[in-house]
Amino acid sequence: MRIAIQLALRNLLGAGLRTWLNAIVLSFSFVAIIWMQGLMVGWDYQAKRDMQEWEIGKGQYWHALYDPYDALSLENSHAVLPNQLQLMADKHSAVPILITPATMYPNGRMLHVHLRGIPSDQTLLNIPTQVLDTVLTDALPIVIGSSMARSAGLKKGSRTMIQWRDSKGTFDAVEAEVVDLFVSNVPSIDAGQVWMELTKLQALTGLPHHATIVSLQDTEQLPNTLGDFVLKQQSDLTKEIDEMIQTKSAGQSVFYIVLLLLAMLAIFDTQILSIFRRQKEIGTYIALGYTRQQVVGLFTIEGAMYAVLAAFVALLYGIPFFIWQSKVGFTIPMETSDFGMAIAPVMYPVYSVGLIVSTTLIVFVTTTIVSYLPARRIAKMNPTDALRGKIQ
Amino acid sequence: MNNDIIINIQQLVKRFPIGKGEFTALKGITTSFRKGEFAGLIGPSGSGKTTLLNIIGSLDMPSEGEVTVLDVSVGSLTAKQAALLRKEKLGFIFQSYNLLQVHTVFENVEFPLLLLHYNASERKKMVMEALDWVGLTDKAQSKPSQLSGGECQRVAIARAMVKKPVLVLADEPTANLDATNSHTILRTMEKLNKELQTTFIFATHDEKVISYLHRKVFLDDGYIVKDEWVKND
């Protein structure tokens, strides 16, 4: 094996430009796969971090009837906060949120929205709730996300009518003023969401001390249920992100399978060409004491070593590229609100040792298999014909 | 020369399939070669000389008959055993040199020693000695593409001789060389035959080669038609 590796390396380096062209093509696959996968991992990290900072904290209590995908459930999915949660909210280690369906009439249009009541003095989430209590206005102060503002044609200072039903089913309406806009990568707190002071919403709906969900600073030592509320761990709440990332990764994998196939095509082609062009050489190896199987092994190792050389080439330009990308990030060249999950306009790839090792292994194993397939022909060659260079 | 027989051939027949039929290249050859011979298989194209050389070199197998090389029956060898025989005991010289083009002269000559697992310092010493035999020590780092035909064949001789094999098989070694180069390499091989007692068997129809041979085995249409000793050291 050592001799075969030594010979394969000599043969490859001796072949000069042909070897390096293959190695460069294969190195593109290395870099592209690692970069794309790194982007996916980075997206996963960033989406979870944004969700934690903007929406869920370290976990949430949900009212047992609350179903974020069923707007009708909101009518009944609220309850008075249990004492323990109220105490936590008073200490700012929990943020109760009351959610009520409503209709908003910006610029003569009608929009179905969710009113979200949140304590204005909370510090757990990044939503700029302090302005709900500090801006002087004769209207109801509200805060909305930039995406919502864009789609509703609203801006800071805009006024709009909001209509809702209280706990008795009576319709009521009030004029609201947008006192601040926030920019967040988490669509679920932005699109169709109108934020206001919790106590005001509780008063408007006739639901004093009620909440639908409670975001938590910490979930350790908290019971699974507290009154009507059920604990949701962070991992449960971000499960959808993992699933979404997996789906997106599967889509992305098509790209790097194509890339890998192109590189493999080059290796396969080189191997086929080598076996035809190097028949005399194959015969010579056999005459000098190699068995045909050993020559098959030599050619397979030669092919597999393209992956090793490609890894070195990839190191040369890949490492600076990866470092640069992790600093400046990758600007998403499209409107990201359609993704249905947190995605920043600039994503920063995250590269792990596992990612690099697994990619290297995948490329190495694939290259070895692709190199072996054409090399098997050597086992069927007649050495005397090979020595004469007779095409077989 | 001593009388040790190193190659014994009895009633050797070699047939090749051609389409649905077959072609008989060797038709009952019986002969033997002793250690230290400088012999040639002589005949026109298609007479069977290369086929016989290939069977002696265990690159091909007999269809019938018995071929014993260095006390080993070629017909009964597995691919691995045949490879071992070639690796340890035989050297080959080819008409078109068959050098490894991407390797240097040194690496080409070193190749058989790599297969025999000599260490680096031994390999270096033996390669330089072999290159000295053929007068190419100054070309050690050249690539075959930078050498003349004569120099390439001298590299091939060095490669065949570097492990000091018992037997060297040379198939038309001068076919691609001019007269001057042919005589140079023939004198080199004759010298090595004398100094190292290596047995040389040529397959040739080149008059220049024939003039150097000590024994001439003439083949025609798969038969030995004449076996002639010219010199005896």
Side-chain angles (χ1 to χ4, degrees), chain A residues 107 139-140 142 144 153-160 176-179:
Chain A
N107 304 313
L140 176 70
I142 58 171
I144 58 173
L154 295 171
K155 54 189 180 190
K156 198 170 168 183
S158 295
R159 290 191 171 217
T160 180
E177 180 180 333
V178 179
V179 292

Side-chain angles (χ1 to χ4, degrees), chain B residues 135-164:
Chain B
L136 284 175
T137 48
D138 56 329
K139 302 277 186 181
Q141 294 311 315
S142 302
K143 291 273 176 77
S145 57
Q146 297 167 308
L147 304 179
S148 68
E151 287 171 329
C152 281
Q153 196 60 295
R154 278 149 65 193
V155 176
I157 293 168
R159 183 178 66 185
M161 292 301 299
V162 69
K163 63 188 174 190
K164 297 182 181 158

Side-chain angles (χ1 to χ4, degrees), chain A residues 90-101:
Chain A
D90 293 344
K91 290 177 186 168
H92 301 295
S93 60
V95 178
I97 297 168
L98 176 64
I99 308 173
T100 302

Side-chain angles (χ1 to χ4, degrees), chain B residues 164-202:
Chain B
K164 297 182 181 158
V166 181
L167 172 64
V168 171
L169 303 168
D171 189 8
E172 305 276 12
T174 56
N176 291 334
L177 302 178
D178 59 27
T180 312
N181 274 313
S182 295
H183 285 297
T184 306
I185 71 129
L186 284 164
R187 276 195 293 270
T188 305
M189 287 192 274
E190 194 177 40
K191 185 181 82 173
L192 293 169
N193 166 252
K194 279 180 188 162
E195 289 178 2
L196 304 174
Q197 279 295 293
T198 306
T199 306
F200 279 80
I201 299 178
F202 296 83

Side-chain angles (χ1 to χ4, degrees), chain B:
Chain B
M1 183 189 297
N2 61 44
N3 289 326
D4 298 339
I5 290 175
I6 58 166
I7 301 166
N8 191 17
I9 302 167
Q10 296 295 322
Q11 292 301 315
L12 171 63
V13 175
K14 179 64 185 177
R15 285 185 284 267
F16 293 105
I18 295 182
K20 288 179 181 174
E22 56 183 24
F23 166 72
T24 306
L26 299 173
K27 301 169 179 170
I29 300 283
T30 297
T31 188
S32 60
F33 295 89
R34 287 171 294 178
K35 188 174 186 320
E37 279 193 29
F38 200 72
L41 306 171
I42 301 159
S45 293
S47 60
K49 53 188 188 298
T50 298
T51 303
L52 180 54
L53 205 68
N54 285 338
I55 292 172
I56 293 170
S58 73
L59 287 168
D60 214 342
M61 293 290 144
S63 305
E64 283 176 32
E66 179 72 21
V67 177
T68 308
V69 177
L70 301 165
D71 299 326
V72 175
S73 172
V74 171
S76 63
L77 292 176
T78 63
K80 207 169 179 179
Q81 289 167 333
L84 193 68
L85 174 70
R86 291 192 296 271
K87 183 163 72 175
E88 291 181 344
K89 306 280 173 60
L90 309 184
F92 288 87
I93 298 167
F94 305 102
Q95 176 181 336
S96 51
Y97 329 128
N98 287 38
L99 299 179
L100 305 172
Q101 291 300 315
V102 298
H103 293 206
T104 62
V105 166
F106 184 94
E107 289 165 347
N108 265 282
V109 179
E110 186 191 26
F111 185 86
L113 303 177
L114 272 175
L115 299 188
L116 290 168
H117 302 287
Y118 282 94
N119 66 41
S121 62
E122 284 176 320
R123 291 202 304 269
K124 188 175 181 186
K125 190 177 159 218
M126 291 167 82
V127 169
M128 294 316 288
E129 187 184 19
L131 288 176
D132 188 40
W133 293 334
V134 295
L136 284 175
T137 48
D138 56 329
K139 302 277 186 181
Q141 294 311 315
S142 302
K143 291 273 176 77
S145 57
Q146 297 167 308
L147 304 179
S148 68
E151 287 171 329
C152 281
Q153 196 60 295
R154 278 149 65 193
V155 176
I157 293 168
R159 183 178 66 185
M161 292 301 299
V162 69
K163 63 188 174 190
K164 297 182 181 158
V166 181
L167 172 64
V168 171
L169 303 168
D171 189 8
E172 305 276 12
T174 56
N176 291 334
L177 302 178
D178 59 27
T180 312
N181 274 313
S182 295
H183 285 297
T184 306
I185 71 129
L186 284 164
R187 276 195 293 270
T188 305
M189 287 192 274
E190 194 177 40
K191 185 181 82 173
L192 293 169
N193 166 252
K194 279 180 188 162
E195 289 178 2
L196 304 174
Q197 279 295 293
T198 306
T199 306
F200 279 80
I201 299 178
F202 296 83
T204 186
H205 58 260
D206 183 346
E207 287 301 329
K208 296 186 288 297
V209 178
I210 294 168
S211 67
Y212 280 82
L213 297 175
H214 303 173
R215 181 185 171 194
K216 300 170 187 175
V217 180
F218 291 89
L219 281 94
D220 193 18
D221 194 25
Y223 296 102
I224 292 178
V225 292
K226 195 160 80 171
D227 192 346
E228 178 180 282
W229 285 91
V230 180
K231 296 176 189 173
N232 203 345
D233 295 289

Side-chain angles (χ1 to χ4, degrees), chain A residues 29 32-33 36-37 249 252-261:
Chain A
S29 299
I33 292 170
M36 281 179 170
Q37 289 287 64
S249 292
Q252 293 280 9
S253 64
V254 173
F255 285 106
Y256 61 74
I257 285 171
V258 169
L259 266 171
L260 200 57
L261 278 178

Side-chain angles (χ1 to χ4, degrees), chain A residues 3 10-11 280 284 286 290, chain B residues 86 96 103 110 114-115:
Chain A
I3 294 169
R10 273 185 193 175
N11 287 344
K280 270 190 183 181
T284 306
I286 294 169
Y290 256 20
Chain B
R86 291 192 296 271
S96 51
H103 293 206
E110 186 191 26
L114 272 175
L115 299 188

